[in-house]
Amino acid sequence: MLTVTLLALQSVVAATQQYYDGRARQLAVTPPRIEVSVQIDGVLDEAAWRRAAVLTGFSQYRPVDGRPAVDTTEVLVWYSPDAIYFGVRAFEPHGEVRATLADRDNIDSDDYIQILLDTFNDRRRALVLGVNPFGVQADGIRTEGSFGAAGGPGAGGRFENVDMNPDFVFESKGRLTNYGYEVEIRLPFKSIRFQTANPQRWAINIIRKIQHSAYEDSWAPAERANASFLAQSGTLENLTDLRRGLVLDLNPFTTGRAVGAPDSSGAWSYDVKREAGINTTWGVTTNLTLDATINPDFSQVEADVGQVTVNERFAIFFPEKRPFFLEGIEQFNTPNSLIYTRRIRNPIAGVKLTGKISGTNIAMLSAIDEQGASATGRDNPIVNALRIRRDIGRQSTVGIAYTDRIDGSDFNRVAAADVRLVFAKLYFLEVQGAASITRESGVTRTAPLWQVTVDRTGRTWGFNYNIRGIHRNFNAATGFVNRTGVVTPFIANRLTAYGNPESTLENWTGFFMFTGNWDYEGFFDGASPLETAVRHTSFFTLRGGWSVRILPGWETVAFDSAFYADYAVDAGTDTVRFEVPDRLDDLVTFGVSVSTPQFATFAASAEATLGRAAAFFEPATVNLLSWNSTIDWRPTDKVRIQARYVRVRLTRRQDGTTLSIAHIPHLKIEYQLSRPIFFRFVGQYSAQEQDALRDPATGRPILLSDGAGGFVRADVETRNDLRIDWLFSFRPTPGTVVFAGYGSSLTERDAFSFHQLTRVGDGFFVKLSYLFRV
């Protein structure tokens, strides 16, 4: 029956439609220009669709590339003067279509289609439009290369190499059919940037994810043996007379919040704030966009990604989520995250220019931050960032970056240059050099950063060799560099084997890795490393979407004496100097993780690690046991429930006592009333306890400097915190939103007792925003 339906559909349109078979490498597509508009209702029944170009002949890309796709996909393409249209017919004879109502950017557990559209045809950056079978959207930017994230990856979705923080205004609707599903998409030219040429040539590829098999298909027959995925795209040819019109978006907003906490007497008081502002976007040309903001919106409707910080010595990265910064944020990327917009804490105003002119990407940002971000508390820091990157040849680039943060009489400036050379299809070489100059309290310091990376992306064998050096005085006040004073080489070799068709094992990939950390000056003097590690990771992808990962590892650690400069030991009648322990060289761990397929209503994963690790706050060898498990349950197409549990325990090897333990259960429940409306509940309990620190050599208490010439004992630290958040969201389009939320923080003395919970803070939040498109 399915075959008859497919043949009937093809026979109706064969006389007027041109087919482009990806497997036959018919990748140069000429879509028709049709001066009509159609209703976006998920039904491809208008006459225009019978004239559209048809992209078919998909190939499997994951887990094994080069094989014909098991499921048939057709993507129809045509354009009008002011928009481009895509229609999708996804045939599914082998299993159930996975489709739910979901919030934007949260369709990774559904079947979905991704349209990768490179409007500058440079094969380095592509707009990604994702839709599930109901037309729910997930969009972002995919950028080739190992450039560091200016704003961070992913905002809920997990599309590979896609920064899903940016949102684009486009229409999409879909429906389930007797043969699979059908989706209709309209992308206005007003919503995107593109070349000024006429006619134009855009790069395009289509990816389809089938959840019941975990297969990922590609229209352009992409090979894994290639340093660039986007370089293998097809093209849309002879696009003529594209009319973008005036691009002027006005996005006024208002927010209100009331944050409460008890005072010393137990009486509650609330700090109420009401704010209003506006973000504006002007399309200066088809390829340049100017953004400006006054009192920008910094409401954090989405909580920062939860991260476990047990035994963590360095700062952790959080992605950018603030609307003003997200336009063109990928153009600020550099190999070492020298531009990190969350360093701009709460600006009063800002302006930004992003775009591409004649093969050169340009991104400029200036902002005036609040006085609270100043070291003096009296000045308004001025922040500037510039990133220019020039295309060279087919895939290579050369770029410069500059940042400047002025805080009264102090300043920090960073200048950098980088080059990425892609050659012989499989290889790339990336080099970056940077220098910072910082003046604080009349003292000026300069310091370098440098990095070299060589990579081979082969089908069965590949490698990534990298070395990076960061002087201890290097300071990127507008970037994210969480550890300085080290030289870090990294060596990774990869082997991949593929199973035969219909075999249980689809794919095995093994990584053999070595990494080390040297003191920056010691590296050039021939000193021993501070840390070295040898690790192996085996990934097994099994038929049906199961995956297993095995991670044995061995490492050595030499403790940095500077880290313990404020430590002392209580010797009873005296305070004595803390002796930093010798190198630990017996640190062996073993990890294993298992992930289920995306079943019709649930998916699950679990990871366990055990072995010997280094504790840093009490420098010694400890026994490590950690557990991380997640269950995603979708009982209906409107309800999503995610439960996660993390447990990390460190025990002293000398006597088996617990040094630290953390239990963190997390629960998120979402109800999607309709595509624009959802309700969310998030609850997380964090129970963490660290024992009083002891000197590993003598067992005596460790003392910490109080900063005033004395010492205090590092006693037991206990936290049993419960956080509950509720959110109502109405978001019909990006920029037009109504958010209303409530959050409460509670604590108790005994973990998980729940009958002595004390509320220590809460807050109410409302945001109203509307996008005017002139």
Side-chain angles (χ1 to χ4, degrees), residues 91-111:
F91 295 84
E92 181 51 87
H94 304 97
E96 179 185 355
V97 173
R98 309 286 164 77
T100 62
L101 286 176
D103 193 25
R104 192 183 190 94
D105 292 337
N106 196 23
I107 65 172
D108 47 278
S109 60
D110 295 337
D111 286 66

Side-chain angles (χ1 to χ4, degrees), residues 115-367:
I115 300 170
L116 283 72
L117 204 59
D118 175 6
T119 57
F120 290 91
N121 195 32
D122 60 17
R123 313 303 176 102
R124 296 166 175 87
R125 172 188 176 275
L127 165 71
V128 178
L129 305 178
V131 289
N132 79 351
F134 291 153
V136 178
Q137 299 174 359
D139 52 357
I141 295 292
R142 178 164 179 162
T143 304
E144 292 286 26
S146 58
F147 294 106
R158 292 186 286 274
F159 291 171
E160 183 186 21
N161 296 332
V162 177
D163 182 353
M164 299 181 69
N165 291 293
D167 290 328
F168 302 94
V169 178
F170 66 102
E171 297 177 71
S172 62
K173 286 194 177 179
R175 64 190 180 99
L176 301 181
T177 66
N178 60 352
Y179 60 80
Y181 64 91
E182 192 167 282
V183 179
E184 196 170 18
I185 300 168
R186 178 182 182 271
L187 174 64
F189 296 140
K190 188 184 289 286
S191 295
I192 60 176
R193 291 185 297 229
F194 49 87
Q195 311 158 55
T196 57
N198 187 38
Q200 300 207 11
R201 188 171 186 249
W202 295 359
I204 186 173
N205 197 9
I206 313 293
I207 295 174
R208 178 184 174 188
K209 182 63 178 285
I210 302 101
Q211 293 292 356
H212 79 86
S213 63
Y215 289 169
E216 186 176 294
D217 297 338
S218 171
W219 169 66
E223 302 173 351
R224 297 168 70 91
N226 198 304
S228 170
F229 181 82
L230 295 180
Q232 305 176 73
S233 302
T235 55
L236 297 178
E237 305 281 347
N238 199 35
L239 302 173
T240 59
D241 298 323
L242 308 185
R243 301 172 191 169
R244 195 180 187 216
L246 173 65
V247 176
L248 181 59
D249 291 350
L250 304 176
N251 189 200
F253 61 86
T254 181
T255 63
R257 64 176 182 174
V259 179
D263 58 23
S264 57
S265 66
W268 278 74
S269 61
Y270 283 86
D271 178 19
V272 179
K273 289 187 178 180
R274 304 176 186 86
E275 295 185 348
I278 187 170
N279 300 323
T280 64
T281 298
W282 174 38
V284 182
T285 65
T286 61
N287 57 354
L288 281 177
T289 300
L290 180 68
D291 294 272
T293 185
I294 299 175
N295 193 26
D297 172 23
F298 288 88
S299 57
Q300 291 296 307
V301 174
E302 293 284 349
D304 281 324
V305 179
Q307 303 196 45
V308 179
T309 58
V310 173
N311 208 33
E312 179 61 61
R313 294 172 290 165
F314 309 108
I316 52 180
F317 189 98
F318 292 103
E320 179 63 84
K321 296 177 180 178
R322 302 171 297 183
F324 165 71
F325 291 103
L326 293 179
E327 168 68 33
I329 195 171
E330 77 286 348
Q331 293 189 248
F332 289 95
N333 288 345
T334 68
N336 277 283
S337 295
L338 298 180
I339 301 173
Y340 177 48
T341 53
R342 281 190 66 149
R343 295 292 191 202
I344 307 171
R345 198 166 83 181
N346 191 14
I348 299 169
V351 63
K352 180 175 57 175
L353 179 69
T354 56
K356 187 167 188 175
I357 301 175
S358 302
T360 301
N361 287 277
I362 299 173
M364 295 183 289
L365 169 67
S366 291

Side-chain angles (χ1 to χ4, degrees), residues 24-61:
R25 304 205 66 83
Q26 297 171 349
L27 303 180
V29 179
T30 304
R33 188 178 193 272
I34 307 173
E35 298 203 21
V36 299
S37 61
V38 299
Q39 181 180 359
I40 304 302
D41 55 8
V43 183
L44 305 177
D45 57 353
E46 291 91 348
W49 294 112
R50 293 190 288 274
R51 296 172 56 190
V54 183
L55 282 57
T56 188
F58 281 60
S59 303
Q60 187 182 132
Y61 181 65

Side-chain angles (χ1 to χ4, degrees), residues 755-768:
H755 64 274
Q756 296 178 333
L757 283 168
T758 302
R759 187 162 53 104
V760 295
D762 66 1
F764 300 86
F765 170 81
V766 175
K767 173 182 174 181
L768 305 175

